[in-house]
Each structure stands twice: as C-alpha cells, then as structure tokens.
Amino acid sequence: MQLRYSFIIPVYNRPVEIEELLESFLKLSGTFSYEIVIVEDGSTITSQSVIDKYNTQLDITYYFKPNSGPGDSRNLGMQKAKGNYFIILDSDCLLPSNYLIEVDRSLKQNYVDCFGGPDKAHKSFSNLQKAIDFSMTSVITTGGIRGNKASLDKFQPRSFNMGLSKKAFEATKGFGNIHPGEDPDLSIRLWNLGFNTVLIPEAYVYHKRRISWSKFYQQVHKFGSVRPILNQWHPQTKKLTYWFPSVFTLGVIFAIIFALFNIYLPIYLVLFYFSLVFVIALITTKNVIITCQALLAVCIQFFGYGYGFLKSTLILSIKKDKAEVLFPHLFFNNK
C-alpha cells in the first residue's frame, strides 16, 4: 500500500506554538509528499495569520470549529484529511528533521495501523520544561509505565505523537469525548477490533509541555482520575502498576508518621528512592537546578496522579452513576 501522510494538529489559543511547529516542518528531511490539517478548537486567539504565513511553503488546510475538545478536533481533521495514514501531533511539539524518515521506514518494514512515538526535551526548553520532561519520561518514575522496549507490541500511544491508519479510524470512529484518557481508550478499542499498536522509539518529538507547576499538578491529577474510568470501561486492561503512585504517596505519608514515633526504616527507604532519582536526574540532565526541579516534579506527579486515581476509584466503587455524571469535568459534550 502506498502511504499518503496527513498530519492532524488541533490547536487552542496557541498561535506561537503552531508557528514553531510549522517551522520544524520546513526542516524535515526526505522527499515525502504530505499535508498538514490544522483544526482550531474554538480559539479566541486564532492561528490564522500564522497559517497565512506558511501556506505558500507547506500544504496546509485550516478549519475552525466551536470548542469541543482535542479528541473531537482530531476526528474532524481525520474526516477532512486526504491521506490514508494520519499522524496526530499536539501543537506544543517540535519535529526533529528525521522524524518522517523514521516513521516511513518503520511502517514499510513492519506495517501497523497505529503507532506511538516517545517525547524528549529540546536543548532550547526551559529548566521547568526539562524537569517535567524527566519526571514524565524516566523509567524510575511513572514514565516507566508509559511504554518501553520491553513492551513495544502492547504500547498505548499518546496523541501528542500518534499514527493512525484511515482504516483504523473508520473502524473505531476515532477518539471519544473523555479528556484526558481519550488516547488509551482508543488504543484499547483498537485492540478489541484486532488492530495492533506499537512504539516506534526512533520517531520521537520534542514536547514542550508549556505549563506551570500548578497546571502540571492539574494535568497529572486528571491523568490519575481517568484511569479508574478506563479500568471500568475496559476491565481486561487493569494493571497493578496503575496503583503504584497511590501506594507510593500513602507510603510517604505513613513513613513520615512512623518517623514521629522513632520508626525510621520507612523514611530511610523514601530518602533512598529520592537519592536515586537525584543521581539519575543529574546524570540525565547534567544540571543541578534542573535536577532539584525534577525532584519537585516527581513529587507532584506521584501525589497528583495517586490522589486522583484513589479518589476516582473510591467514587466509582461507592456510586453507581455513569462516569460522565460523576466526573463531568473529564468529558466534553460533543453532541
């Protein structure tokens, strides 16, 4: 099958991000023919002027729609796209020059209807962005749960860097209205229909994560909150590892309490873990300031995710209403 690529990019009030992303498209290596479909999700600060600047250099199609969430925006983009293989990106990503070469090589060697790629921090990113990137991707944190070379064939792609065939999109109808959580939900529905998903390690993007500490907490808290909902919808995908942030958070709390009663072993174990995080972060980032911020990012990530997961699990087990009723803030109304 001849692959014709369509990049699908939802955007909400981020014209600067779109300009930087489009600039990275101009530096892509290879002689591929592709289109870029940008869907403005009800923005009050649109990217129209940026699109006008680049549409003579790139094949760009631009749509504006009322705000209904990134999943619905991606679905619209895929409905409008002309290609037969969609590559979905977040607006806060940058592409390395070899990105499409690696994607095309992998799909031609071992075709799959859905793939995901990892994310990295660009050298130009701020210290905060690099610290959060370490927390979100390191194998010593919950980043190790997201997929690695030992689990390439059962990877749950994330929509900041995801490939999806037109055939798979039409079979699944695309993303649901839960957010976040629409990515793993789509992966599971693909598996149920017999499609495969893989990680292409070489097809990475630079993911900016332009967020403050408070927004980072809100993000990971939502990640933790949606996982029990996905477990309820797809019970065959439950894993003990999803409990790790909650157990770790409770363990830290109890370790502090035990220390007040002169029982120090638990707190020593906690300190050992964070010492290990410090060493690995320092080796990875080669920057003491980023390393110290990474320690804070790990704490926020574990507590935010763990608290969200535990609270959502308890609410779902006690109350019998649908998740959409219990957690309306985690769903977009796309009707």
Side-chain angles (χ1 to χ4, degrees):
M1 178 179 66
Q2 181 66 36
L3 295 176
R4 302 187 304 277
Y5 297 108
S6 294
F7 285 89
I8 312 297
I9 308 167
V11 59
Y12 179 72
N13 289 340
R14 294 292 186 270
V16 174
E17 289 181 353
I18 283 294
E19 181 162 12
E20 292 173 338
L21 175 53
L22 292 179
E23 191 65 30
S24 73
F25 271 101
L26 295 178
K27 300 174 183 177
L28 284 181
S29 301
T31 57
F32 303 98
S33 177
Y34 58 85
E35 66 168 338
I36 302 171
V37 181
I38 298 176
V39 181
E40 195 87 62
D41 187 24
S43 299
T44 56
I45 306 172
T46 75
S47 302
Q48 182 67 64
S49 61
V50 176
I51 307 304
D52 293 341
K53 177 180 176 180
Y54 284 88
N55 63 9
T56 58
Q57 305 172 76
L58 297 166
D59 181 7
I60 304 175
T61 307
Y62 180 58
Y63 298 96
F64 187 96
K65 54 178 276 298
N67 180 249
S68 58
D72 195 46
S73 298
R74 297 179 196 118
N75 290 345
L76 175 64
M78 290 185 281
Q79 291 167 5
K80 300 290 187 179
K82 303 180 184 71
N84 59 10
Y85 208 101
F86 310 131
I87 300 178
I88 303 163
L89 302 172
D90 275 359
S91 63
D92 61 349
C93 290
L94 300 174
L95 298 178
S97 60
N98 65 331
Y99 176 82
L100 200 47
I101 289 176
E102 298 298 343
V103 169
D104 191 69
R105 177 187 295 125
S106 178
L107 291 178
K108 287 180 177 177
Q109 289 178 350
N110 182 27
Y111 180 83
V112 66
D113 285 284
C114 180
F115 75 84
D119 57 328
K120 297 185 178 182
H122 193 270
K123 61 182 180 181
S124 66
F125 288 4
S126 69
N127 288 348
L128 173 61
Q129 290 168 337
K130 291 176 181 177
I132 291 176
D133 175 81
F134 173 83
S135 178
M136 294 290 285
T137 61
S138 175
V139 295
I140 200 172
T141 67
T142 58
I145 300 174
R146 300 170 68 204
N148 50 59
K149 290 189 177 182
S151 59
L152 295 183
D153 60 342
K154 214 59 178 173
F155 181 69
Q156 294 182 1
R158 297 295 186 263
S159 54
F160 65 80
N161 182 14
M162 172 190 283
L164 185 69
S165 72
K166 183 176 182 179
K167 177 182 177 181
F169 168 67
E170 291 176 342
T172 58
K173 308 303 180 185
F175 295 93
N177 64 338
I178 190 172
H179 178 73
E182 71 273 24
D183 313 338
D185 174 62
L186 176 57
S187 295
I188 297 166
R189 289 188 286 113
L190 284 166
W191 298 340
N192 292 339
L193 291 172
F195 293 100
N196 294 321
T197 62
V198 299
L199 171 68
I200 303 179
E202 299 79 13
Y204 63 87
V205 299
Y206 298 114
H207 197 187
K208 291 183 179 180
R209 307 184 190 281
R210 290 191 172 183
I211 48 181
S212 63
W213 288 120
S214 60
K215 289 183 178 179
F216 179 52
Y217 172 81
Q218 293 171 13
Q219 182 187 61
V220 294
H221 180 76
K222 284 187 175 181
F223 287 161
S225 298
V226 302
R227 180 53 70 175
I229 298 174
L230 297 176
N231 289 344
Q232 185 183 75
W233 290 355
H234 311 287
Q236 75 278 14
T237 64
K238 290 181 180 179
K239 294 181 181 179
L240 287 176
T241 50
Y242 296 145
W243 282 91
F244 179 62
S246 300
V247 172
F248 181 86
T249 300
L250 292 174
V252 171
I253 294 173
F254 282 116
I256 295 173
I257 294 173
F258 288 153
L260 296 175
F261 292 92
N262 299 322
I263 303 174
Y264 297 110
L265 178 59
I267 202 71
Y268 288 155
L269 294 175
V270 171
L271 292 174
F272 173 77
Y273 171 77
F274 280 106
S275 298
L276 194 59
V277 171
F278 182 89
V279 171
I280 294 176
L282 186 60
I283 293 173
T284 302
T285 66
K286 299 178 176 60
N287 185 298
V288 174
I289 295 176
I290 298 174
T291 297
C292 293
Q293 289 182 319
L295 290 174
L296 177 57
V298 170
C299 292
I300 292 173
Q301 184 181 8
F302 273 113
F303 179 78
Y305 188 105
Y307 175 56
F309 182 91
L310 189 60
K311 182 175 68 174
S312 182
T313 298
L314 290 174
I315 292 174
L316 287 171
S317 62
I318 295 171
K319 299 184 178 180
K320 302 305 179 183
D321 290 325
K322 290 184 177 181
E324 292 87 341
V325 175
L326 297 174
F327 308 97
H329 62 291
L330 298 178
F331 292 85
F332 278 93
N333 185 3
N334 298 334
K335 295 181 180 180

